[in-house]
Amino acid sequence: MNSFTYTQADAVDTAVDERASDLTAKFIAGGTNLIDLMKENVERPTRLIDITRLPMATISETLEGGLRLGALVTNADTAYDERIIQRYPLLSQTILAGASPQLRNMATDGGNLMQRTRCYYFYDLATPCNKREPGSGCSALNGFNRIHAILGTRTQGSDGQLAEPNCIATHPSDMCVALAALEAVVRVTGKNGERSIPFAEFHKLPGDTPHIDNTLESDEIITAIDLPAKGFPDNFMYLKLRDRASYAFALVSVAAALELENGNITDARIALGGVAHKPWRKPEAEALLVGKPATKENFQAAAEALLAGAQGYGHNTFKIELAKRAIVRALGQAAKLEPTA
Amino acid sequence: MSPPLDKRAPSLPPLHTVTLTVNGKETQLKLSPWTSLLDALREYMDLTGTKKGCDHGQCGACTVLLDGKRINSCMTLAIMQEGKQITTIEGLAPTPDELHPLQQAFIDHDAFQCGYCTPGQICSAVGMMNEGRVKTTADIRELMSGNICRCGAYTNIVDAIEEVINKQTA
């Protein structure tokens, strides 16, 4: 770990000022990802600003009938909150599918959004990585890429042709997959005041700037995550596929939420984890389901639409078929057409 | 070839005075900001019961209780834990002559081989019982998944924990 100084912030405004005056400083809360990356010398902040004393550690009602998760609420306290269990069981189930109890007790909801990728090459200082050192190259593209992305990796060049990816890393979060499906809103504060970022616009695709994970400005801090009133408490499923039954990152995961009336789908949300640089959603694929009966055939059509344009890079090519099957199964489980275990 | 790391000549920032409350006792330490809670316990307070396994939050050997909640002590800075009640394996037994029920159950069930993961397993099990979410044996396996035992004593570990939970709820 590099040498750094440590300060405690006592107000959101002063935390923002401190960070704005020194962009080599980083905020620390749960620290479960940042400290690990610092031990690996991947992150080398000159200063840590401890934000754990800021007043953003509660879950409260919003005027719109939803819930506001303070950025410092731990993953465990969120997953086990009675209001979350009753009104957003998809979120509770998703959080509990991730990490370990010890990590969930420390990790915060705001910090979960800020997790860096678990790409082995991002962690390995001996290899090129466009996310760690922009312009150095992507080692995963022709390397071991079993855990890597199959969607949103290629960008259109100026000639209109799809260019080689700059980065095929995935976003590692489970929680964010459910937040994408629930259309959460990220509340942030910076030098220019507060703003709200729709969840779909918070994380970005790698494009030409894979070193930037999200659309947060450098002086901004996440203060809360708002859940809209609609929580799909009756028909939901988080299906996580991984190399062991517990405590592993997803190869592919699906957060599925349905609203049903007499067996017909009136609203559908599908978000994928483990397949892209951000939780993957495609509203067109969800729209295919609306007004139709909850059948395996209709789920299959949605799965095909969601995976359209998917590209494998060798070791991870299996994810394309795996993701389609996982979508069909998760939707079937959400619709209670098949057992959940 | 990748660009060189942005290397800075190390200049040590001044040590911080950090007061930790461990097993009910307050201790004042002079620590660098980067000293993990695990290193503070082991290297500065001689509480070597808490073990360093992976030092990356993956194995659970360093599990301690923070205000009754289980955490990985390797993944947090000591300086961030002032004012918290920290409990380590050394602080679980009610008196010096008695064992915590989980310690006794681990012995009774031979729930270890080398014993390196045991302090973390036991602290984690205490934390799990505080959480009160266990209904089935499968729940124990899932909720203890943050503690790795490379000797593979899992069957007996689960038996030991289950016995204590059953006795408590009987």
Side-chain angles (χ1 to χ4, degrees):
Chain A
M1 217 185 278
N2 63 293
S3 169
F4 61 86
T5 56
Y6 168 89
T7 52
Q8 282 174 0
D10 50 16
V12 172
D13 291 352
T14 51
V16 165
D17 286 345
E18 263 198 81
R19 160 78 178 155
S21 70
D22 179 5
L23 293 181
T24 64
K26 278 199 172 285
F27 296 129
I28 185 164
T32 52
N33 189 211
L34 180 57
I35 291 176
D36 188 32
L37 289 165
M38 287 169 68
K39 287 183 180 184
E40 298 285 4
N41 277 321
V42 175
E43 297 278 10
R44 294 186 293 276
T46 57
R47 170 157 47 153
L48 288 185
I49 306 163
D50 180 351
I51 58 168
T52 53
R53 280 157 181 79
L54 300 185
M56 15 190 235
T58 56
I59 299 177
S60 56
E61 299 284 341
T62 66
L63 293 174
E64 295 77 30
L67 286 178
R68 173 165 299 169
L69 311 174
L72 291 172
V73 181
T74 66
N75 291 176
D77 285 347
T78 307
Y80 290 131
D81 185 277
E82 272 309 315
R83 293 162 293 182
I84 298 291
I85 291 171
Q86 295 300 321
R87 289 154 62 182
Y88 305 93
L90 172 66
L91 180 61
S92 179
Q93 184 188 35
T94 301
I95 293 171
L96 295 176
S100 69
Q102 288 95 319
L103 292 169
R104 295 195 294 264
N105 277 340
M106 285 298 279
T108 62
D109 291 348
N112 192 292
L113 273 58
M114 300 302 290
Q115 280 182 88
R116 309 300 311 273
T117 184
R118 296 287 167 158
C119 171
Y120 344 103
Y121 301 103
F122 176 66
Y123 268 77
D124 180 3
L125 268 59
T127 57
C129 168
N130 283 328
K131 185 178 279 299
R132 185 168 27 79
E133 289 176 27
S136 63
C138 174
S139 299
L141 202 52
N142 297 306
F144 289 105
N145 50 37
R146 175 174 165 77
I147 65 169
H148 290 78
I150 52 171
L151 286 161
T153 52
R154 295 196 293 176
T155 44
Q156 219 153 27
S158 49
D159 55 0
Q161 297 293 307
L162 285 174
E164 279 280 282
N166 291 305
C167 174
I168 56 171
T170 58
H171 194 262
S173 169
D174 291 294
M175 183 183 185
C176 289
V177 183
L179 291 175
L182 293 168
E183 296 189 344
V185 174
V186 186
R187 296 176 60 87
V188 306
T189 298
K191 290 292 270 183
N192 296 324
E194 294 182 32
R195 68 182 178 118
S196 297
I197 308 172
F199 207 81
E201 292 165 27
F202 185 80
H203 296 105
K204 60 179 263 303
L205 291 175
D208 297 329
T209 52
H211 59 292
I212 301 170
D213 294 343
N214 55 56
T215 56
L216 200 65
E217 296 293 336
S218 54
D219 63 313
E220 285 178 326
I221 185 170
I222 299 172
T223 56
I225 301 151
D226 282 359
L227 302 174
K230 197 166 182 176
F232 299 88
D234 299 318
N235 294 95
F236 66 91
M237 175 51 62
Y238 186 66
L239 178 64
K240 182 175 180 180
L241 304 176
R242 43 188 159 171
D243 281 328
R244 59 184 180 209
S246 183
Y247 200 14
F249 288 97
L251 291 168
V252 168
S253 70
V254 184
L258 294 171
E259 197 176 57
L260 297 169
E261 263 182 45
N262 305 321
N264 282 316
I265 299 163
T266 53
D267 198 358
R269 306 271 177 82
I270 312 163
L272 305 180
V275 296
H277 202 254
K278 59 186 285 188
W280 191 258
R281 263 189 82 195
K282 211 172 194 180
E284 310 92 273
E286 295 166 7
L288 287 177
L289 290 172
V290 176
K292 303 225 177 91
T295 64
K296 205 169 173 181
E297 292 67 36
N298 288 331
F299 297 157
Q300 185 68 43
E304 294 293 339
L306 256 158
L307 270 293
Q311 161 91 48
Y313 295 96
H315 300 97
N316 70 347
T317 308
F318 73 99
K319 283 189 177 186
I320 300 172
E321 182 60 23
L322 186 71
K324 289 179 189 174
R325 295 185 189 196
I327 292 164
V328 173
R329 177 173 295 180
L331 285 167
Q333 290 172 327
K336 298 172 184 167
L337 301 181
E338 51 181 303
T340 52
Chain B
M1 180 156 157
S2 47
L5 291 177
D6 170 26
K7 288 181 184 136
R8 302 177 198 96
S11 60
L12 299 178
L15 295 177
H16 294 250
T17 302
V18 178
T19 306
L20 294 180
T21 310
V22 182
N23 301 328
K25 192 177 137 223
E26 267 189 26
T27 308
Q28 214 175 63
L29 304 168
K30 293 271 188 196
L31 297 177
S32 303
W34 50 82
T35 303
S36 68
L37 176 58
L38 172 62
D39 285 344
L41 292 170
R42 287 182 57 85
E43 308 297 334
Y44 293 83
M45 303 181 73
D46 291 332
L47 291 168
T48 54
T50 308
K51 298 294 185 257
K52 182 180 280 196
C54 68
D55 209 24
H56 289 281
Q58 298 176 5
C59 76
C62 68
T63 302
V64 300
L65 300 165
L66 199 65
D67 289 339
K69 291 179 178 178
R70 48 182 167 160
I71 64 149
N72 300 118
S73 63
C74 73
M75 281 287 106
T76 190
L77 304 173
I79 198 171
M80 294 177 72
Q81 302 311 335
E82 282 195 310
K84 301 278 173 60
Q85 293 289 333
I86 299 156
T87 310
T88 68
I89 188 72
E90 291 91 342
L92 287 181
T95 70
D97 301 322
E98 284 177 274
L99 292 176
H100 185 278
L102 274 162
Q103 290 173 314
Q104 187 61 53
F106 267 61
I107 295 169
D108 296 344
H109 287 269
D110 195 19
F112 36 70
Q113 184 173 306
C114 81
Y116 198 80
C117 74
T118 309
Q121 298 276 3
I122 291 177
C123 285
S124 186
V126 171
M128 179 175 69
M129 289 171 63
N130 290 345
E131 291 155 16
R133 301 278 162 184
V134 172
K135 293 189 190 74
T136 64
T137 311
D139 289 343
I140 297 177
R141 291 184 177 276
E142 167 61 30
L143 293 172
M144 287 298 293
S145 68
N147 292 82
I148 311 290
C149 169
R150 284 293 77 142
C151 302
Y154 295 111
T155 311
N156 294 0
I157 292 170
V158 172
D159 286 351
I161 295 169
E162 194 163 20
E163 181 188 81
V164 177
I165 291 177
N166 286 342
K167 272 187 192 159
Q168 224 181 35
T169 53

